[in-house]
Amino acid sequence: MVNIVQEISKQESHTLMKTSEVSMMQLQQKKDTAEKAKENPFSDFNDLEILAWYIHEQKHANKENDRSMRTKKEYESEIRQFIDAILSHTEAIGVDIDEIRGQSLFKSLESRHLRRYQEWLMTESPYVLERGPYSPATISRKTTVLKSFFRYLYRVGYIQDNIADGLRIASVRKDDRPNRDLGPQDVVKILRSFRNINHPVMFSIVLVLTATGLRNEELCKLKVSDVKKDRIHGGYYLNVVGKGNKKRQIPLKEKVYDSIRMYRYSRGLPSLVDSPPAAPLFTTSRGTAFSPSYLIAYMTKEMKKIEAELEGIEVKLTPHVFRHAFAITSRLGGADLFDIMRSLGHEKMETTMIYLEMVFAREKNAVNQWSLGVLDEFI
């Protein structure tokens, strides 16, 4: 058993290469040739090539409507981690492959292997043994990526069986979701604390995230040219490209715009008027654009400077939490649910509902419908 998997490991070591190294034009030509010969379009593909095609295939005439580069990297990372685990922890996972099919790891796997991998990932993987269990949301994401990939391989005929059914359902229950609720009073406390210690950088980041509902990566990608003059309503707005390359225009309140100017001044950057249009709007102390991971690390570090003032705020203060604060503050201010959804750039109302779950739960509590009664003396 082990020898067979070791043989696959030798043959498939190239699968751990980055799929971006594969020429999509060459793959298209190979696919076209197979179709012309009335064969399965992917009959001549190997594992690396089918993985590259799955991740980078252009499905829309307008490339901007395809998966974003961030999504592609996430998918590739999850699938490559799976491959690496299967080849590196064969016995622990229980990969009892009896026959190599077409010199392919993907074609040699069966449903039980995916189930065993999922169980190993949750209970005995190095990450779990060193750091503790994955969150339900993380397991759900990993399961979704693998299930989507192997269902695709089955649908296009690259593998013979729908082995994705071996993965157990890993949905996230409402009670499993991390608490990300941050109300306007909490945001005010944070802003005042940074203002009191004269920290315009963090003040601006928190204010912009809260007042725009931007995603972490959206803020990191902003350029000077994305700040536009609003010729219709006056003031300024941000031209934002979000998930799926969907564009939206986000108005900037006057004080939010002023905080951006103060941010750049405190960093020693040129004014918006004097800056190159392609320059990053928000920069690190070195003048480079933030990466999403670095922004999280930076905010975590800087939040410690006002730790004493944050007593009572139990939420982990990441960029995403302030996106939730935008949704909550908008709802408390009377905004329509559909408007909040569009402002956040959500495709589904259900996603926005998750952001506002606790707000709705309190709004709809029966106690809010009590009329005058004998308890009025005490409540």
Side-chain angles (χ1 to χ4, degrees), residues 228-237 251-254:
K228 304 288 188 182
K229 184 80 173 175
D230 192 334
R231 306 291 179 186
I232 300 174
H233 302 100
Y236 296 86
Y237 66 89
L252 289 173
K253 296 284 191 180
E254 183 178 356

mmCIF file of all heavy atoms in Angstrom, residues 228-237 251-254:
data_model
loop_
_atom_site.group_PDB
_atom_site.id
_atom_site.type_symbol
_atom_site.label_atom_id
_atom_site.label_comp_id
_atom_site.label_asym_id
_atom_site.label_seq_id
_atom_site.Cartn_x
_atom_site.Cartn_y
_atom_site.Cartn_z
ATOM 1 N N LYS A 228 -12.706 59.773 -5.655
ATOM 2 C CA LYS A 228 -13.297 60.543 -6.742
ATOM 3 C C LYS A 228 -14.121 61.723 -6.197
ATOM 4 O O LYS A 228 -14.751 61.616 -5.156
ATOM 5 C CB LYS A 228 -14.226 59.647 -7.578
ATOM 6 C CG LYS A 228 -13.568 58.402 -8.150
ATOM 7 C CD LYS A 228 -12.628 58.723 -9.278
ATOM 8 C CE LYS A 228 -12.132 57.444 -9.953
ATOM 9 N NZ LYS A 228 -11.169 57.735 -11.039
ATOM 10 N N LYS A 229 -14.104 62.797 -6.954
ATOM 11 C CA LYS A 229 -14.962 63.935 -6.650
ATOM 12 C C LYS A 229 -16.388 63.619 -7.071
ATOM 13 O O LYS A 229 -16.625 63.167 -8.204
ATOM 14 C CB LYS A 229 -14.460 65.165 -7.415
ATOM 15 C CG LYS A 229 -15.224 66.449 -7.108
ATOM 16 C CD LYS A 229 -14.774 67.081 -5.816
ATOM 17 C CE LYS A 229 -15.415 68.442 -5.625
ATOM 18 N NZ LYS A 229 -15.082 69.027 -4.307
ATOM 19 N N ASP A 230 -17.336 63.814 -6.166
ATOM 20 C CA ASP A 230 -18.742 63.550 -6.479
ATOM 21 C C ASP A 230 -19.357 64.799 -7.104
ATOM 22 O O ASP A 230 -19.655 65.769 -6.411
ATOM 23 C CB ASP A 230 -19.496 63.157 -5.198
ATOM 24 C CG ASP A 230 -20.884 62.596 -5.500
ATOM 25 O OD1 ASP A 230 -21.445 62.950 -6.553
ATOM 26 O OD2 ASP A 230 -21.395 61.818 -4.679
ATOM 27 N N ARG A 231 -19.531 64.776 -8.420
ATOM 28 C CA ARG A 231 -20.036 65.942 -9.146
ATOM 29 C C ARG A 231 -21.545 66.111 -8.978
ATOM 30 O O ARG A 231 -22.083 67.165 -9.340
ATOM 31 C CB ARG A 231 -19.708 65.801 -10.640
ATOM 32 C CG ARG A 231 -18.233 65.563 -10.932
ATOM 33 C CD ARG A 231 -17.389 66.773 -10.625
ATOM 34 N NE ARG A 231 -15.970 66.534 -10.897
ATOM 35 C CZ ARG A 231 -15.005 67.381 -10.612
ATOM 36 N NH1 ARG A 231 -15.305 68.538 -10.035
ATOM 37 N NH2 ARG A 231 -13.748 67.093 -10.880
ATOM 38 N N ILE A 232 -22.206 65.093 -8.470
ATOM 39 C CA ILE A 232 -23.664 65.157 -8.346
ATOM 40 C C ILE A 232 -24.092 65.598 -6.952
ATOM 41 O O ILE A 232 -24.854 66.557 -6.791
ATOM 42 C CB ILE A 232 -24.292 63.791 -8.674
ATOM 43 C CG1 ILE A 232 -23.939 63.381 -10.114
ATOM 44 C CG2 ILE A 232 -25.816 63.827 -8.474
ATOM 45 C CD1 ILE A 232 -24.397 61.991 -10.480
ATOM 46 N N HIS A 233 -23.565 64.915 -5.938
ATOM 47 C CA HIS A 233 -24.002 65.197 -4.572
ATOM 48 C C HIS A 233 -23.016 66.068 -3.796
ATOM 49 O O HIS A 233 -23.308 66.492 -2.679
ATOM 50 C CB HIS A 233 -24.210 63.882 -3.803
ATOM 51 C CG HIS A 233 -25.206 62.962 -4.439
ATOM 52 N ND1 HIS A 233 -24.832 61.886 -5.218
ATOM 53 C CD2 HIS A 233 -26.559 62.966 -4.423
ATOM 54 C CE1 HIS A 233 -25.913 61.262 -5.649
ATOM 55 N NE2 HIS A 233 -26.970 61.894 -5.198
ATOM 56 N N GLY A 234 -21.857 66.313 -4.384
ATOM 57 C CA GLY A 234 -20.834 67.052 -3.668
ATOM 58 C C GLY A 234 -20.001 66.115 -2.815
ATOM 59 O O GLY A 234 -20.382 64.980 -2.535
ATOM 60 N N GLY A 235 -18.848 66.576 -2.359
ATOM 61 C CA GLY A 235 -17.972 65.739 -1.558
ATOM 62 C C GLY A 235 -17.198 64.738 -2.403
ATOM 63 O O GLY A 235 -16.896 64.985 -3.572
ATOM 64 N N TYR A 236 -16.903 63.575 -1.800
ATOM 65 C CA TYR A 236 -16.074 62.565 -2.468
ATOM 66 C C TYR A 236 -16.673 61.181 -2.261
ATOM 67 O O TYR A 236 -17.501 60.967 -1.372
ATOM 68 C CB TYR A 236 -14.647 62.595 -1.908
ATOM 69 C CG TYR A 236 -13.922 63.893 -2.177
ATOM 70 C CD1 TYR A 236 -14.059 64.982 -1.312
ATOM 71 C CD2 TYR A 236 -13.104 64.033 -3.296
ATOM 72 C CE1 TYR A 236 -13.398 66.183 -1.559
ATOM 73 C CE2 TYR A 236 -12.438 65.229 -3.558
ATOM 74 C CZ TYR A 236 -12.592 66.297 -2.688
ATOM 75 O OH TYR A 236 -11.943 67.479 -2.942
ATOM 76 N N TYR A 237 -16.196 60.233 -3.094
ATOM 77 C CA TYR A 237 -16.577 58.837 -2.909
ATOM 78 C C TYR A 237 -15.401 57.948 -3.302
ATOM 79 O O TYR A 237 -14.443 58.399 -3.942
ATOM 80 C CB TYR A 237 -17.818 58.472 -3.735
ATOM 81 C CG TYR A 237 -17.633 58.511 -5.232
ATOM 82 C CD1 TYR A 237 -17.194 57.391 -5.942
ATOM 83 C CD2 TYR A 237 -17.912 59.675 -5.961
ATOM 84 C CE1 TYR A 237 -17.030 57.421 -7.314
ATOM 85 C CE2 TYR A 237 -17.750 59.717 -7.340
ATOM 86 C CZ TYR A 237 -17.308 58.589 -8.011
ATOM 87 O OH TYR A 237 -17.144 58.623 -9.372
ATOM 88 N N PRO A 251 -19.823 56.522 -0.813
ATOM 89 C CA PRO A 251 -19.673 57.928 -0.412
ATOM 90 C C PRO A 251 -18.759 58.070 0.802
ATOM 91 O O PRO A 251 -18.751 57.208 1.696
ATOM 92 C CB PRO A 251 -21.105 58.347 -0.068
ATOM 93 C CG PRO A 251 -21.991 57.339 -0.725
ATOM 94 C CD PRO A 251 -21.221 56.059 -0.729
ATOM 95 N N LEU A 252 -18.004 59.149 0.831
ATOM 96 C CA LEU A 252 -17.149 59.456 1.972
ATOM 97 C C LEU A 252 -17.725 60.654 2.719
ATOM 98 O O LEU A 252 -17.852 61.750 2.160
ATOM 99 C CB LEU A 252 -15.726 59.786 1.509
ATOM 100 C CG LEU A 252 -14.881 58.630 0.968
ATOM 101 C CD1 LEU A 252 -13.568 59.162 0.404
ATOM 102 C CD2 LEU A 252 -14.618 57.594 2.048
ATOM 103 N N LYS A 253 -18.073 60.436 3.971
ATOM 104 C CA LYS A 253 -18.470 61.553 4.812
ATOM 105 C C LYS A 253 -17.293 62.521 4.920
ATOM 106 O O LYS A 253 -16.128 62.133 4.809
ATOM 107 C CB LYS A 253 -18.866 61.053 6.203
ATOM 108 C CG LYS A 253 -20.102 60.141 6.233
ATOM 109 C CD LYS A 253 -21.363 60.947 6.078
ATOM 110 C CE LYS A 253 -22.585 60.088 6.366
ATOM 111 N NZ LYS A 253 -23.840 60.849 6.215
ATOM 112 N N GLU A 254 -17.611 63.791 5.155
ATOM 113 C CA GLU A 254 -16.563 64.821 5.160
ATOM 114 C C GLU A 254 -15.444 64.500 6.148
ATOM 115 O O GLU A 254 -14.254 64.612 5.817
ATOM 116 C CB GLU A 254 -17.182 66.185 5.488
ATOM 117 C CG GLU A 254 -16.166 67.327 5.451
ATOM 118 C CD GLU A 254 -16.814 68.683 5.738
ATOM 119 O OE1 GLU A 254 -18.051 68.731 5.885
ATOM 120 O OE2 GLU A 254 -16.076 69.696 5.812
#
